[in-house]
Amino acid sequence: MLEMIKELCSLRGISGRESEVRDYVISKIDGYCDYSVDPLGNIIAFKKGKNRAENKVMIDAHMDEVGFIVTGVDSDGLLKFSNVGGVDTAVFLGRSVTVGENALPGVVGIKPIHLVDKSGENDLPQKDELYIDIGALSREEALKAVQPGDEVCFEADFEQFGDGFICSKAIDDRAGCAILIDLIRSELEYDCVFSFSVQEEIGTRGAAASAFTAAPDYAIAVETTTAADIYPAEDEERVCVCSEGAVISFMDRATVYNPELYRLALDTAKENGIKAQTKTRVAGGNNAGAIHKSRGGVKTVAVSVPTRYLHSPSCVCKYEDVESCRALIEALAAVMAQC
């Protein structure tokens, strides 16, 4: 899975522009399952297990990443842009990006320090003060290479460092995609449906459609979630901790999770010797928010990889936590299939 995460994170795919990721996923699962692509671009796959499941279980991960979209070009060839997904302005000041289908190199620029008013020199720049510089000297020159509506992605290398840590853009949620691919390519105990969904970062839109199509009885949303396990955060403010295993949520801003499934996930981890922990803060949201409301309702649980610096060019997680998530998801799906 580590190599797949590296390859997936190198791909470009903001919300609504997931084709590179979708093509990669299909190349990895073709021949291991039956699959289709719906009008939104979700991949819905059916993997036959050794035994027929009593309940239909769907496992979901999203293909899109946060980024930006070009909204216009100034007279001097600088690009104006808008966020796609929740990106804190502080994390992209001066960052390298790629723009458009040809992945043109660019950098997010800000007003030169000597032009900043003294009263505001310590303030974070406003979003509308920023621009993307692609090296064009005029609007006409820039428009030969870039058009409004073109995607903008962070440019960041995949790194392994420390004691088993990995760092890259788009670990949210390419780590989840790698887990799903690995499960599809393995021998499962029971039949299972998999959803590689689009547009999670702008409102969990793809999963709403794939869950309606798949009509599962149970679902597992495979995600990453914020690890605030660095000073000065203490106790529940740490949310979850890298190296402590898969993260199970009891509630976030989009879902109050089924309490029986929440306990089942923790019990399944304990019974199988899998590292797991509780998400200790009600924050964020994921595709479970759309899935659990689909059709007549779906019993849903979220299993997440604890990750530092989410929605940045330098997301950090520990690979052993990815492995813990994969092990728990497989074991939990088997229990759900027969419960």
Side-chain angles (χ1 to χ4, degrees):
M1 285 192 300
L2 182 61
E3 186 60 27
M4 279 196 290
I5 295 172
K6 179 179 180 179
E7 292 170 352
L8 281 160
C9 288
S10 73
L11 303 175
R12 306 170 70 245
I14 63 168
S15 305
R17 304 286 192 277
E18 299 94 348
S19 58
E20 281 189 24
V21 184
R22 183 166 48 249
D23 290 346
Y24 176 92
V25 171
I26 289 173
S27 75
K28 293 294 185 181
I29 66 173
D30 191 29
Y32 291 90
C33 62
D34 297 321
Y35 66 88
S36 62
V37 178
D38 72 12
L40 279 185
N42 300 304
I43 303 170
I44 302 172
F46 174 75
K47 170 73 175 183
K48 189 167 180 58
K50 291 186 287 185
N51 299 292
R52 182 179 178 276
E54 291 296 320
N55 302 308
K56 183 185 286 187
V57 178
M58 184 179 85
I59 305 175
D60 172 86
H62 68 88
M63 296 184 287
D64 57 318
E65 64 187 284
V66 296
F68 314 98
I69 195 165
V70 176
T71 58
V73 182
D74 287 349
S75 59
D76 51 8
L78 301 174
L79 312 182
K80 302 305 290 182
F81 63 95
S82 181
N83 290 18
V84 177
V87 192
D88 188 344
T89 303
V91 308
F92 58 80
L93 299 177
R95 290 288 189 171
S96 295
V97 294
T98 58
V99 184
E101 291 183 1
N102 296 320
L104 293 173
V107 64
V108 179
I110 60 176
K111 184 186 294 185
I113 186 63
H114 65 279
L115 297 181
V116 176
D117 187 275
K118 288 292 183 182
S119 63
E121 64 182 6
N122 294 321
D123 296 337
L124 192 67
Q126 296 298 305
K127 169 69 174 50
D128 58 9
E129 296 179 284
L130 306 177
Y131 54 84
I132 295 172
D133 187 345
I134 59 169
L137 297 177
S138 67
R139 185 173 190 272
E140 292 71 25
E141 183 180 346
L143 286 172
K144 291 177 182 178
V146 176
Q147 295 293 324
D150 282 352
E151 70 176 312
V152 180
C153 297
F154 287 124
E155 176 69 12
D157 292 331
F158 183 95
E159 303 286 352
Q160 294 177 249
F161 68 106
D163 182 19
F165 284 91
I166 59 177
C167 174
S168 178
K169 75 174 184 70
I171 287 177
D172 175 20
D173 188 28
R174 306 289 163 72
C177 291
I179 289 171
L180 266 62
I181 293 170
D182 198 60
L183 287 168
I184 289 172
R185 290 166 66 96
S186 67
E187 187 175 43
L188 299 181
E189 191 66 30
Y190 296 102
D191 301 344
C192 193
V193 177
F194 295 84
S195 166
F196 297 86
S197 55
V198 299
Q199 300 188 36
E200 189 270 351
E201 299 292 2
I202 56 171
T204 66
R205 300 175 186 181
S210 59
F212 185 88
T213 299
D217 301 302
Y218 293 86
I220 303 172
V222 184
E223 258 289 5
T224 61
T225 196
T226 301
D229 57 342
I230 52 177
Y231 182 83
E234 295 181 346
D235 302 324
E236 70 274 6
E237 292 301 311
R238 289 158 64 86
V239 186
C240 57
V241 178
C242 291
S243 79
E244 291 300 315
V247 182
I248 315 300
S249 301
F250 50 78
M251 180 179 174
D252 57 40
R253 290 177 182 168
T255 310
V256 178
Y257 292 92
N258 181 289
E260 293 177 359
L261 289 188
Y262 166 70
R263 289 191 292 270
L264 178 64
L266 292 173
D267 290 345
T268 301
K270 185 176 182 180
E271 290 166 6
N272 289 274
I274 301 166
K275 274 190 173 183
Q277 58 185 308
T278 295
K279 182 176 178 178
T280 59
R281 188 168 185 175
V282 177
N286 54 56
N287 277 339
I291 294 168
H292 83 280
K293 296 182 290 185
S294 180
R295 290 187 180 263
V298 180
K299 292 183 177 180
T300 306
V301 68
V303 178
S304 304
V305 178
T307 306
R308 298 171 184 162
Y309 326 124
L310 279 175
H311 291 193
S312 82
S314 303
C315 305
V316 169
C317 71
K318 200 162 188 182
Y319 181 63
E320 69 179 43
D321 292 329
V322 180
E323 294 180 310
S324 294
C325 285
R326 191 247 185 252
L328 178 55
I329 291 159
E330 182 175 20
L332 186 57
V335 175
M336 287 175 166
Q338 294 302 105
C339 66

